[in-house]
Structure formats: structure tokens, C-alpha cells
């Protein structure tokens, strides 16, 4: 998925949400780099300066409870193309009336949104009323930036996962939730998810190949639940002669095929999509035919009882000496965090009520049962605080 750093930015913004009573009238007079404490809050009761969920000895209840407001402020700004409009104002920035005109909404609610975005530090407001972007906003939320991942936040998190999380209390009570297969049977859902995921997955795959994994002289790769094919494009580009087969749901394959046309002719010829629900007991591939089987964000997206059969299928598909790569949101074996890995695991419950919250020990135990040597499995940190990579070897 991921750029997967997207989740970190969204939650970081939520953590910094200022208590509403302390922000609704103070923007015009405060320094753009400081948030005034609430005049209505008890002394020492409101502190929003934590830089991570892990800091402090106790929960910051207000930041947790009101964080959804900051999330929606960010998503609304992306829907309005607001950050691009302010960026176009240059170094000086834009005044509120100019922004009203730029987004085509001439109403005070736009200023209310600007105030919220300033309070959570997405924007800065000068004493003479000009709004500019914070460094992180300028780097990551402006579409012309090479580091942009606003599309991921807008389409996948804002339009899809945010609303699914609203169903979490009912899912926890009833155990009923749509599966990814049923969710992605809707062509528009599959298209939105896959396209939003693509750029983030490309970045994650490049980081994996550059920093964490030696591919060596491999020739055949199986990309299980490979979405747009992002990992396959990066792996094949990095490895001359490598061919990859992507197993995916039918509607996802259609979007993936469209994205594949944007790749070089050489990559297009070496990556193929095959329609399949990866949870099927029979994969349309030959035994002992692959050097690498990749499962990125699959283990946490299927029912718990399906994980072991998936790994058994991977074991069958691998040649002797081949590797199974499992990349996913995971917490540490202590089950105490990190927080973002835990929260992503909880998010998966809303579309996978029978799934398993992942940690390395749970993954490696099932790899061992599938035939891999658990003592030789490797655990690698990927996206700090969110994802890990487990590498298993077939003897």
C-alpha cells in the first residue's frame, strides 16, 4: 500500500487536533507557529504536543476522541484541491477571500475549514491574514510534488476506509462485515482502491529492493493479491529476465491491466495478470515453478483460517531454495504496539471480521506448519511502526 507513510501523516494530524473551544476565535491573533491553549480548559488538562502515540504514560483521550475531525479536515481539503490552490499563491500565500474564489465556494465555511487546518498545522496563517502551506503539506499534499500521496489519502483512506471504520462497533458486536472479495466485486470500489494504492506500493517496493532484500538471479515470481502489479513492475525492472504472475480478483485485474499499459513494453511483456481469489484452495500455477512468492497486505486481509492454506500453496509453488515474502501491517510479538500497526490491524476488521491481528510469531508459526523452517525465518522492519517483512525459505 501503501505510500504507506500516508497513514502516519493522517494520524499525526489527528494527534495534534486542538480542543475546539480553544481554537474557534483565536486564529487572527496568534503566531502561525503556535497554538494557543484553551482559555476554557482546566490547567494542565490539555496537552497536544506528543510526537507519537507511544509517548507518555497514559492515553490522551481528547486527541483520540476528536482525531476524526482533523482527518476529515484533511480529506475535505484534498477533495477541494485546496492545497494546490494555496501552493499556486506562491511564497506569500493566499488570503481567505482568494481561497474562496479558487475553490468555488463563497461561504464562511471555507474559512472555518482553513482555521481547522491551521490549528492542526497543515496550514500557517500570517498576522496579515495570508495562508501558506506547512513544510509537510507542501511536500506531500501538493499534486505537483514528487513526494505527493494525497491521492492515496483522498481516495482510499478518505472515501473508503474512513467510512468502513464507522461500522466497527457493529462489526465487533455481530462479527459481520463484507469480505475484500465482495467489497471489490464493485468495479468502482476496486478501481478507486487499486489506483489509490498504486503509487504508495511502488514506493514501498523500491524501498524493499534497494534497502532490505537481495533479489539475486531469480527468474520467476508469483505476486499473490498483487493489486495494480506495483511490486511486480519494480521487481522485474530491477531484475533482468524476471517474469511475474499477478494473482488478483477479477475487477482488480481489470484496473491492473490498465495501469500495466503505462509501463515500458519490456515490463508489460514480463508481467501477466491471472484472475483468481487468492483464498481459493487451488491456484492456477504449476508446483515448484517460482523463486519468490510475494504476499503483500494479504495475510491481514483474509479470514484467520485461510492464512495457513495460503502459505501451504506458496510452499507448493516455490522451487527448492525459493522464498516466501510476507509483508503486512504488524505489531511486535509483545502485542503492545506499535500503535499504527495495531490501528491498521483494527481497520482490517471492518472488511475482514474473521481475520487475525498480525505479529511475527503468528506468521512464523503458520509458515512452519506450512513446511518452511521456522528457525530460519527472518523478520525485517519495513515502514517504521506499521509494517514488517517476514522471509521464509523452502529447503
Amino acid at each position: 500500500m501503501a505510500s504507506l507513510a500516508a497513514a502516519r501523516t493522517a494520524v499525526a494530524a489527528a494527534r495534534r487536533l486542538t480542543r475546539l473551544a480553544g481554537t474557534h476565535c483565536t486564529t487572527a491573533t496568534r503566531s502561525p507557529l503556535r497554538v494557543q491553549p484553551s482559555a476554557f480548559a482546566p490547567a494542565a488538562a490539555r496537552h497536544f504536543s506528543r510526537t507519537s502515540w507511544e509517548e507518555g504514560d497514559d492515553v490522551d483521550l481528547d486527541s483520540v476522541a476528536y482525531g476524526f475531525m482533523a482527518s476529515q479536515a484533511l480529506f475535505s481539503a484534498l477533495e477541494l484541491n485546496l492545497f494546490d490552490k494555496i501552493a499556486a499563491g506562491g511564497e506569500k500565500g493566499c488570503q481567505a477571500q482568494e481561497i474562496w474564489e479558487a475553490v468555488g465556494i463563497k461561504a464562511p465555511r471555507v474559512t472555518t475549514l482553513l482555521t481547522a487546518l491551521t490549528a492542526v498545522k497543515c496550514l500557517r496563517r500570517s498576522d496579515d491574514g495570508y495562508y501558506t502551506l506547512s513544510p509537510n503539506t507542501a511536500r506531500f499534499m501538493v499534486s505537483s510534488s514528487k513526494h505527493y500521496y494525497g491521492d492515496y489519502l483522498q481516495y482510499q483512506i478518505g472515501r473508503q476506509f474512513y467510512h468502513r471504520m464507522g461500522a466497527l462497533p457493529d462489526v465487533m458486536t455481530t462479527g459481520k462485515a463484507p469480505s475484500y472479495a465482495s467489497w471489490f466485486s464493485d468495479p468502482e470500489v476496486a478501481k478507486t482502491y487499486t489506483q489509490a494504492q498504486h503509487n504508495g506500493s511502488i514506493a514501498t517496493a523500491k524501498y524493499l529492493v534497494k534497502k532490505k532484500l537481495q533479489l539475486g538471479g531469480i527468474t520467476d515470481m508469483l505476486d499473490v493479491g498483487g493489486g495494480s502489479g506495483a511490486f511486480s513492475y519494480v521487481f522485474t525492472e530491477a531484475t533482468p529476465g524476471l517474469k511475474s504472475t499477478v494473482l488478483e480478483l477479477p475487477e482488480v485485474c481489470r484496473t491492473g491491466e490498465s495501469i500495466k499499459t503505462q509501463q515500458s513494453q519490456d515490463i508489460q511483456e514480463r508481467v501477466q495478470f491471472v484472475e483468481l481469489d487468492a483464498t481459493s484452495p487451488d491456484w492456477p500455477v504449476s508446483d515448484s515453478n517460482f523463486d519468490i512468492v510475494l504476499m503483500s497486505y494479504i495475510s491481514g486481509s483474509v479470514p484467520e483460517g485461510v492464512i495457513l492454506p495460503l502459505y501451504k500453496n506458496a510452499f507448493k509453488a516455490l522451487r527448492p531454495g525459493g522464498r516466501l515474502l510476507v509483508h503486512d501491517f504488524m505489531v511486535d510479538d509483545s502485542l503492545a504496539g506499535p500503535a499504527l500497526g495495531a490501528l491498521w490491524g483494527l481497520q482490517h476488521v471492518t472488511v475482514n471480521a474473521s481475520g487475525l491481528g498480525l505479529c511475527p510469531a503468528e506468521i512464523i508459526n503458520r509458515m512452519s506448519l506450512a513446511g518452511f523452517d521456522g528457525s530460519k525465518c527472518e523478520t525485517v522492519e519495513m515502514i517504521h511502526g506499521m509494517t514488517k517483512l517476514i522471509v521464509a525459505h523452502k529447503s
Side-chain angles (χ1 to χ4, degrees):
M1 279 187 182
S3 160
L4 295 175
R8 181 179 294 113
T9 300
V11 177
R15 285 198 297 270
R16 293 192 291 267
L17 179 65
T18 304
R19 181 71 163 164
L20 190 60
T23 59
H24 68 83
C25 293
T26 60
T27 304
T29 58
R30 67 172 175 265
S31 161
L33 299 181
R34 299 181 63 189
V35 179
Q36 296 293 337
S38 171
F40 306 101
R46 299 288 182 259
H47 296 289
F48 299 98
S49 59
R50 293 184 186 175
T51 58
S52 76
W53 292 104
E54 283 74 24
E55 289 188 14
D57 296 325
D58 204 349
V59 62
D60 184 345
L61 291 171
D62 285 339
S63 288
V64 173
Y66 303 139
F68 75 96
M69 299 178 187
S71 298
Q72 283 291 27
L74 178 64
F75 302 150
S76 296
L78 290 167
E79 292 286 350
L80 295 174
N81 205 23
L82 187 147
F83 298 133
D84 280 6
K85 303 296 187 185
I86 295 176
E91 187 175 336
K92 186 177 181 180
C94 302
Q95 292 185 311
Q97 292 295 328
E98 296 175 294
I99 298 171
W100 288 24
E101 293 283 347
V103 300
I105 304 171
K106 300 177 182 179
R109 63 181 179 271
V110 177
T111 301
T112 304
L113 176 59
L114 293 171
T115 300
L117 291 167
T118 302
V120 299
K121 296 184 173 62
C122 287
L123 301 179
R124 293 174 175 178
R125 186 181 187 278
S126 67
D127 291 340
D128 54 352
Y130 282 85
Y131 292 91
T132 55
L133 304 178
S134 76
N136 279 343
T137 303
R139 186 180 187 192
F140 299 116
M141 296 294 107
V142 175
S143 61
S144 59
S145 170
K146 68 177 182 179
H147 302 290
Y148 176 69
Y149 61 85
D151 53 349
Y152 166 77
L153 293 182
Q154 178 181 351
Y155 295 111
Q156 190 177 105
I157 307 302
R159 292 191 185 182
Q160 293 184 317
F161 283 143
Y162 186 94
H163 300 288
R164 284 304 313 151
M165 280 299 284
L168 181 61
D170 287 340
V171 174
M172 295 301 298
T173 301
T174 66
K176 296 179 181 179
S179 67
Y180 272 99
S182 65
W183 200 33
F184 287 171
S185 65
D186 182 326
E188 194 59 35
V189 170
K191 181 179 179 180
T192 298
Y193 185 99
T194 305
Q195 288 183 333
Q197 184 66 40
H198 179 68
N199 289 340
S201 292
I202 288 285
T204 303
K206 287 182 176 179
Y207 175 73
L208 175 59
V209 169
K210 184 177 181 180
K211 299 288 188 179
K212 301 291 185 178
L213 185 70
Q214 296 294 322
L215 291 176
I218 61 175
T219 59
D220 296 282
M221 168 181 171
L222 186 61
D223 190 353
V224 182
S228 67
F231 277 83
S232 290
Y233 305 143
V234 172
F235 280 36
T236 51
E237 184 176 27
T239 312
L242 174 63
K243 296 181 179 180
S244 183
T245 299
V246 181
L247 300 183
E248 254 299 359
L249 298 165
E251 293 299 337
V252 178
C253 279
R254 291 181 179 88
T255 302
E257 290 282 8
S258 175
I259 293 174
K260 190 174 82 167
T261 63
Q262 303 167 19
Q263 312 305 312
S264 69
Q265 188 61 39
D266 176 54
I267 299 302
Q268 290 185 49
E269 292 173 356
R270 290 195 280 139
V271 176
Q272 66 166 331
F273 284 82
V274 175
E275 295 184 3
L276 177 77
D277 181 345
T279 64
S280 169
D282 298 310
W283 290 355
V285 298
S286 301
D287 292 352
S288 303
N289 200 46
F290 297 91
D291 301 298
I292 280 182
V293 174
L294 171 68
M295 298 182 188
S296 184
Y297 303 115
I298 296 300
S299 301
S301 303
V302 298
E304 183 275 333
V306 173
I307 299 175
L308 177 56
L310 280 176
Y311 297 172
K312 287 182 176 180
N313 277 351
F315 188 86
K316 287 170 55 181
L318 283 168
R319 297 176 176 130
R323 289 171 287 176
L324 169 60
L325 312 180
V326 172
H327 172 244
D328 221 309
F329 297 105
M330 295 186 208
V331 296
D332 299 332
D333 288 336
S334 68
L335 302 186
L340 288 179
L343 291 172
W344 268 103
L346 184 62
Q347 183 280 133
H348 279 306
V349 171
T350 66
V351 283
N352 183 31
S354 299
L356 176 70
L358 303 178
C359 65
E362 293 284 4
I363 297 293
I364 292 171
N365 176 55
R366 287 163 177 79
M367 287 175 164
S368 299
L369 293 173
F372 297 95
D373 185 346
S375 67
K376 295 182 180 179
C377 289
E378 307 162 62
T379 300
V380 181
E381 292 293 328
M382 279 290 293
I383 306 302
H384 180 69
M386 284 198 288
T387 73
K388 303 179 193 294
L389 173 72
I390 312 296
V391 182
H393 300 261
K394 180 175 180 178
S395 299

